[in-house]
Amino acid sequence: NEHKFNFYSGMFDFSDDGKSSAIFGLQHQNESLLRDSFLGTFSPITGALITADNASYVYTGVQAQYKVGKINLIPSFTPGLYNEGNGKDLGHIVEFKSEVQLSLDLLNNSEIGFSYNHISNASLGEKNPGANSYMFNFLKNF
């Protein structure tokens, strides 16, 4: 069970009525790369998402994990490349995703959860409208 996959779906940029769209994504975590520190357990993650408007984002970064019984709190930060497709113009190809996920351990090495993220270009472009999204997550170890 070295590999954990996070399958998620939700609403991309739910706070913008004109450009909100369904979102689907997949994220991978290699659990053999987990590292414990005084700030928590960290690991690299890689993933991709696509919206119903054909906007896409591929990313890689780091996440922390904090467990309290069967509950997991997982913040992450992932720089990546964004293509607006027919969706929202976020102002630059390079974007940064900050996310927090709350999940619950289930049987058979799986979890269900809810996450919220914000994607922004940190003012690299001439405009930086950002996008706020929420997702429902299913995580499974293989």
Side-chain angles (χ1 to χ4, degrees), residues 21-82:
S21 180
I23 187 174
F24 304 95
L26 174 67
Q27 181 172 289
H28 173 260
Q29 172 190 6
N30 185 337
E31 294 203 330
S32 66
L33 299 176
L34 289 173
R35 297 294 180 257
D36 290 320
S37 77
F38 69 95
L39 295 174
T41 302
F42 290 88
S43 70
I45 53 174
T46 301
L49 62 85
I50 190 164
T51 72
D53 292 330
N54 293 319
S56 58
Y57 182 64
V58 293
Y59 58 89
T60 189
V62 65
Q63 73 178 20
Q65 298 175 333
Y66 305 98
K67 284 182 105 33
V68 179
K70 291 184 172 254
I71 297 173
N72 305 294
L73 177 64
I74 306 169
S76 64
F77 178 75
T78 54
L81 301 175
Y82 177 77

Side-chain angles (χ1 to χ4, degrees), residues 13-137:
D13 205 18
F14 67 90
S15 56
D16 184 348
D17 292 334
K19 285 297 182 179
S20 62
S21 180
I23 187 174
F24 304 95
L26 174 67
Q27 181 172 289
H28 173 260
Q29 172 190 6
N30 185 337
E31 294 203 330
S32 66
L33 299 176
L34 289 173
R35 297 294 180 257
D36 290 320
S37 77
F38 69 95
L39 295 174
T41 302
F42 290 88
S43 70
I45 53 174
T46 301
L49 62 85
I50 190 164
T51 72
D53 292 330
N54 293 319
S56 58
Y57 182 64
V58 293
Y59 58 89
T60 189
V62 65
Q63 73 178 20
Q65 298 175 333
Y66 305 98
K67 284 182 105 33
V68 179
K70 291 184 172 254
I71 297 173
N72 305 294
L73 177 64
I74 306 169
S76 64
F77 178 75
T78 54
L81 301 175
Y82 177 77
N83 179 349
E84 72 181 87
N86 297 322
K88 187 171 185 175
D89 179 5
L90 293 181
H92 202 273
I93 189 171
V94 176
E95 299 285 334
F96 304 92
K97 179 170 69 81
S98 301
E99 182 169 308
V100 63
Q101 176 183 306
L102 193 61
S103 67
L104 177 66
D105 289 338
L106 299 175
L107 300 174
N108 300 323
N109 295 313
S110 59
E111 304 168 38
I112 58 170
F114 179 80
S115 58
Y116 169 86
N117 72 39
H118 177 75
I119 298 176
S120 169
N121 67 37
S123 297
L124 291 176
E126 290 186 22
K127 63 180 186 173
N128 184 20
N132 300 305
S133 305
Y134 66 83
M135 288 80 50
F136 297 96
N137 305 269

